[in-house]
Amino acid sequence: SGINAEYGDDLDSSHSSRTSSSTDIPQEKRSSISSCPGRVSFSESMFSENPAVRWQNSQSDLRLSSISDLSYLPEEEGASTLSCDTEERLQYLSAITNEQGLSSQLFKCYSCSSTIGNQGQEFKVCNYDKKYYCRACFGNYAYFIPSKLIYNWDHNKYRVSKKSFDFLNQVHTLPNLDLSKLNISLYNHAPELAKVRDYRRMLNMVREYLVRCNSKDEVSYEVIRKKLGTHQYYWDTPHLYSIADLTKSFSGQLQSYLKKLSQKCIHHVYCCKKCSSLGFICEYCQNPKIIFAFELQTTDQCSSCGAVYHKSCKRNGPCPKCIRKEQILNKNRRIATT
């Protein structure tokens, strides 16, 4: 028997040194289901404090020593309530903006409407919305530009107006960016992000096992769900990101966290009698060794029926299970017409 697990997809934006780690979870050689690999301990910090966002000071002390210590970064107070101005600025999150010239604003500051340009005071251009601001309204702020992250994988900070800075702070941890719709090819040019996507795909598949498991240990579905809190999208779909997620993907911090979490959950599936019984046998080679869809390096899952096969065994055309289901369906149709 098996599970038809569907493929589905916040951290702050501080720049830390990039970490190097392998994309792939090592293939654990299992002589038997009862022979479990060693436990994975959580020791690295999941999140680091972002000086640009006004989080509580206690967030910098969050550590992962075990799965029960898993904490998540809370949303900034008021981030869920968007003003009219914020709604307008949402359109620039994924848009490539261009300057329209001072005449488009009638030589007025976009914020305070004071006169700027030749007959007025000096002005500055915001790199987020490409609007013109007087020096007083512009201030001295810099931030990541979401569209540059999405289309160029550019993690430099650019000068922005105070109004844009406040907005970007407000939506910093909100998962507003769907790469499957905006720029799916980014994974081909950003190996760090491709690793994050793969770990999230694994979590999405493993979740289907945890949902059916009645285990009460520290890797149970309810424990993981509660600890993820506002980050349920980490295992709901692999393509949904916040600005914070993208910057942490670049630094390697999100990848490191997701790797540990996915290893912990996969370890449970391998060792749990009920979860392991929901694995698959490759119907091409009939090898009795149980395989799972989350073993991305060695297996493929049929998009129609959800059956899992070895990549090396899979052939073009319908899979054996799909063929068998079609034969049964045709037989039932013939019986119904007689």
Side-chain angles (χ1 to χ4, degrees):
S1 61
I3 298 174
N4 184 4
E6 296 182 357
Y7 282 41
D9 162 294
D10 251 301
L11 305 163
D12 58 63
S13 65
S14 60
H15 263 291
S16 62
S17 59
R18 297 177 62 179
T19 58
S20 60
S21 58
S22 172
T23 308
D24 310 322
I25 293 180
Q27 293 296 317
E28 299 172 359
K29 303 300 182 182
R30 309 182 299 282
S31 57
S32 67
I33 281 299
S34 61
S35 177
C36 300
R39 297 176 65 83
V40 179
S41 62
F42 285 39
S43 58
E44 298 183 13
S45 174
M46 175 184 174
F47 303 113
S48 61
E49 190 173 11
N50 173 13
V53 185
R54 297 177 293 279
W55 305 122
Q56 296 179 355
N57 293 333
S58 60
Q59 290 303 318
S60 60
D61 296 325
L62 291 178
R63 295 285 173 181
L64 287 174
S65 57
S66 70
I67 195 70
S68 59
D69 297 328
L70 177 62
S71 301
Y72 61 89
L73 190 66
E75 294 180 14
E76 185 178 6
E77 183 177 357
S80 60
T81 305
L82 301 181
S83 63
C84 293
D85 182 62
T86 299
E87 292 284 357
E88 180 184 353
R89 289 175 182 277
L90 278 173
Q91 64 181 307
Y92 300 121
L93 277 175
S94 58
I96 300 176
T97 54
N98 297 297
E99 293 185 44
Q100 300 298 315
L102 279 172
S103 60
S104 65
Q105 293 178 204
L106 302 178
F107 296 89
K108 302 290 185 182
C109 170
Y110 192 69
S111 182
C112 69
S113 298
S114 62
T115 303
I116 54 177
N118 293 335
Q119 304 301 320
Q121 57 181 309
E122 185 181 349
F123 63 90
K124 297 285 185 179
V125 182
C126 174
N127 280 286
Y128 176 68
D129 59 16
K130 294 299 182 180
K131 302 296 184 181
Y132 305 95
Y133 297 82
C134 66
R135 290 182 65 88
C137 294
F138 194 82
N140 186 27
Y141 301 92
Y143 216 95
F144 304 103
I145 307 300
S147 60
K148 292 182 181 291
L149 286 168
I150 295 169
Y151 300 111
N152 297 330
W153 202 228
D154 182 350
H155 284 73
N156 294 312
K157 289 184 178 181
Y158 292 86
R159 295 291 301 278
V160 296
S161 66
K162 182 181 185 304
K163 184 171 286 190
S164 293
F165 179 82
D166 290 341
F167 165 76
L168 290 169
N169 263 343
Q170 189 179 25
V171 300
H172 183 75
T173 60
L174 300 182
N176 292 319
L177 308 173
D178 188 344
L179 291 187
S180 65
K181 298 178 180 178
L182 297 173
N183 186 16
I184 193 67
S185 64
L186 180 60
Y187 295 116
N188 299 329
H189 305 283
E192 313 94 332
L193 196 63
K195 294 174 184 178
V196 168
R197 174 203 58 192
D198 288 345
Y199 288 130
R200 291 175 67 172
R201 286 174 61 190
M202 291 178 188
L203 285 173
N204 176 261
M205 296 171 185
V206 171
R207 182 183 63 172
E208 302 300 324
Y209 293 86
L210 299 182
V211 166
R212 292 163 173 79
C213 182
N214 55 8
S215 172
K216 301 299 182 182
D217 64 16
E218 60 181 9
V219 198
S220 68
Y221 172 76
E222 282 302 318
V223 170
I224 301 297
R225 185 186 65 81
K226 289 178 181 178
K227 296 302 180 180
L228 281 175
T230 58
H231 305 97
Q232 297 298 317
Y233 63 95
Y234 278 173
W235 66 355
D236 285 340
T237 169
H239 303 302
L240 198 60
Y241 294 85
S242 66
I243 301 172
D245 293 329
L246 293 178
T247 59
K248 287 300 182 182
S249 296
F250 182 78
S251 70
Q253 290 176 277
L254 181 56
Q255 172 196 334
S256 178
Y257 162 65
L258 292 174
K259 179 179 180 180
K260 286 180 171 63
L261 180 59
S262 60
Q263 283 181 328
K264 192 75 173 180
C265 294
I266 289 173
H267 170 83
H268 168 84
V269 174
Y270 285 155
C271 298
C272 173
K273 184 176 181 180
K274 181 173 183 179
C275 291
S276 61
S277 69
L278 296 172
F280 294 81
I281 298 296
C282 178
E283 292 192 44
Y284 285 109
C285 67
Q286 297 297 321
N287 189 320
K289 183 178 179 181
I290 298 174
I291 58 177
F292 299 89
F294 53 72
E295 297 170 339
L296 299 182
Q297 298 303 308
T298 58
T299 64
D300 264 334
Q301 186 173 34
C302 177
S303 58
S304 298
C305 68
V308 179
Y309 308 96
H310 293 117
K311 282 186 175 181
S312 58
C313 297
K314 191 174 180 181
R315 308 183 187 100
N316 293 328
C319 75
K321 185 175 180 180
C322 286
I323 294 175
R324 188 167 63 254
K325 290 173 66 176
E326 184 65 24
Q327 290 172 345
I328 294 174
L329 182 62
N330 290 335
K331 181 179 178 180
N332 291 337
R333 286 172 179 168
R334 289 195 299 270
I335 294 175
T337 56
T338 57

